[in-house]
Amino acid sequence: MRAIILNKPSLDALSQIELPDPSAPQHGQVNVRMRAASLNFIDLAVAKGQYPGIVFPLTPVADGSGEIIAIGDGVTGLKIGDRVAIHPKALWVAGRPTAAKANTMRGVSLPGSLLEIATVDAVSVVKAADHLSWEAIATLPIAATTAWNALAFADAGPGSTVLLLGTGGVSIFALQLAKARGARVIITSSSDAKLDRARALGADETVNYRKFPDWDDEVRRLTDGIGVDLVLETAGPDTFTRSLAAARQTGLIYTIGFLTGTKFELDLMPIIVKALRVQGNNTGSVEDLGRAMQAIGAARIEPVIDRTFSVADIGQAFRVLAEGGYFGKIAVRLDW
């Protein structure tokens, strides 16, 4: 079978190779013919050598979707032909993680999604909502799981206000899922065109942070001085202090990204005085993805895909991810 490997930490080190066809799945396993993948910031960090502990060569990309083509003994609830998303956290099925469960990950410590046939534990796949395309299914495991967990952790619903920073994959899923849960959504971007698209998806208020450099003041104005219940913090040092300021008393800062770095000096007083909660995130479990999938199916949410690339253009897909400027997700058709 064919696969893409990353030979070293460089976007120029991606190449197609031939691998032996997989054997029949063992007890508790399934073979999945991979149909699509999608890119996340962690994939870029791996490809650039910015993620610790990577051993090269590696089959990259955490998120993927496909069709079950073989089933091992002991597997229940699945059948040949089922369309599934493969959760990248292969060992984290449900509940609180251990370090091993959280850190064992497809495309990082395990082979990723850029191959023709994957052999995986059946407990790590989630059946897809019927209305979704292969590419749409592939966008869900990291981004939709993370967005769902942020909203669930904040208990966001009617009467809640959610602030989303930027228009990347997690923020757009959080917008769609928050509206399905009945929450009010404020979203930021430097692009009026992207903010118009966000409004078309249901955003209640938008803030262009180029026009409003003190965007936390604008957020407080939009909430009558109260602040928001949840900030989905995607950037890190450049935005974190303003995120604290934009949150209401007892609000939640759900920290998922480090686009502007990982280290900075922090004033603890806003956290203490406002009794804020700061919550990190490492995606979530297979069970969490299942809940997000149920919500997406019930609300018939269509994942927003900015661009779809052929597997032959995987290097260009990574470069678009690195350049930024996209809205939603970047998908890859595994059209070998």
Side-chain angles (χ1 to χ4, degrees):
M1 68 172 178
R2 289 162 290 191
I4 299 294
I5 61 166
L6 182 65
N7 290 291
K8 61 182 180 179
S10 168
L11 296 183
D12 296 320
L14 292 158
S15 61
Q16 181 175 310
I17 63 167
E18 295 285 334
L19 295 174
D21 288 338
S23 58
Q26 301 300 305
H27 179 86
Q29 294 181 326
V30 293
N31 283 357
V32 179
R33 184 172 299 281
M34 302 301 294
R35 300 295 190 184
S38 75
L39 300 184
N40 294 280
F41 189 70
I42 190 173
D43 302 314
L44 184 62
V46 169
K48 287 186 169 185
Q50 297 169 345
Y51 201 87
I54 303 300
V55 177
F56 298 97
L58 171 72
T59 301
V61 180
D63 281 356
S65 65
E67 175 185 3
I68 293 178
I69 59 172
I71 298 177
D73 62 274
V75 175
T76 60
L78 295 170
K79 64 182 185 301
I80 291 175
D82 278 347
R83 301 161 69 247
V84 297
I86 302 180
H87 196 280
K89 305 285 187 176
L91 303 181
W92 189 2
V93 177
R96 294 177 63 181
T98 62
K101 290 179 181 179
N103 296 330
T104 301
M105 189 170 183
R106 290 166 48 81
V108 177
S109 57
L110 299 173
S113 294
L114 299 185
L115 73 177
E116 284 193 275
I117 301 173
T119 301
V120 299
D121 289 341
V123 293
S124 70
V125 307
V126 171
K127 287 197 284 188
D130 291 338
H131 71 285
L132 298 176
S133 68
W134 292 120
E135 292 80 12
I137 299 165
T139 66
L140 302 182
I142 288 179
T145 301
T146 300
W148 177 261
N149 282 348
L151 297 166
F153 202 90
D155 196 24
S160 300
T161 302
V162 174
L163 173 62
L164 308 175
L165 304 190
T167 55
V170 180
S171 291
I172 296 304
F173 270 125
L175 165 58
Q176 295 172 295
L177 289 165
K179 296 311 298 179
R181 292 172 66 110
R184 179 190 182 198
V185 175
I186 303 171
I187 192 166
T188 71
S189 175
S190 61
S191 164
D192 285 337
K194 289 182 179 180
L195 293 177
D196 287 343
R197 292 182 68 182
R199 281 187 176 274
L201 289 171
D204 300 279
E205 306 284 355
T206 59
V207 178
N208 186 318
Y209 59 79
R210 298 293 185 205
K211 296 179 181 178
F212 295 95
D214 298 332
W215 51 264
D216 50 315
D217 291 339
E218 180 66 6
V219 169
R220 286 195 299 272
R221 185 189 69 80
L222 292 171
T223 56
D224 297 323
I226 296 172
V228 299
D229 298 275
L230 166 66
V231 182
L232 189 65
E233 172 50 68
T234 59
D238 286 2
T239 56
F240 203 89
T241 298
R242 294 194 186 280
S243 292
L244 297 178
R248 67 172 296 159
Q249 197 80 13
T250 72
L252 171 65
I253 315 299
Y254 203 80
T255 305
I256 68 167
F258 46 94
L259 293 172
T260 62
T262 59
K263 297 180 180 180
F264 65 106
E265 187 173 303
L266 177 65
D267 182 359
L268 291 176
M269 288 307 292
I271 298 174
I272 295 169
V273 171
K274 294 168 70 174
L276 298 177
R277 294 175 292 160
V278 177
Q279 175 67 41
N281 174 265
N282 194 356
T283 305
S285 67
V286 180
E287 182 179 57
D288 295 328
L289 172 59
R291 290 179 178 136
M293 185 73 77
Q294 287 178 333
I296 286 166
R300 295 193 67 81
I301 289 171
E302 284 287 353
V304 177
I305 299 174
D306 188 274
R307 292 181 65 180
T308 300
F309 291 86
S310 167
V311 70
D313 297 321
I314 184 62
Q316 181 60 22
F318 269 98
R319 289 182 181 89
V320 169
L321 181 68
E323 291 166 2
Y326 52 89
F327 184 96
K329 294 289 291 180
I330 295 170
V332 180
R333 286 189 307 271
L334 300 183
D335 48 356
W336 303 95

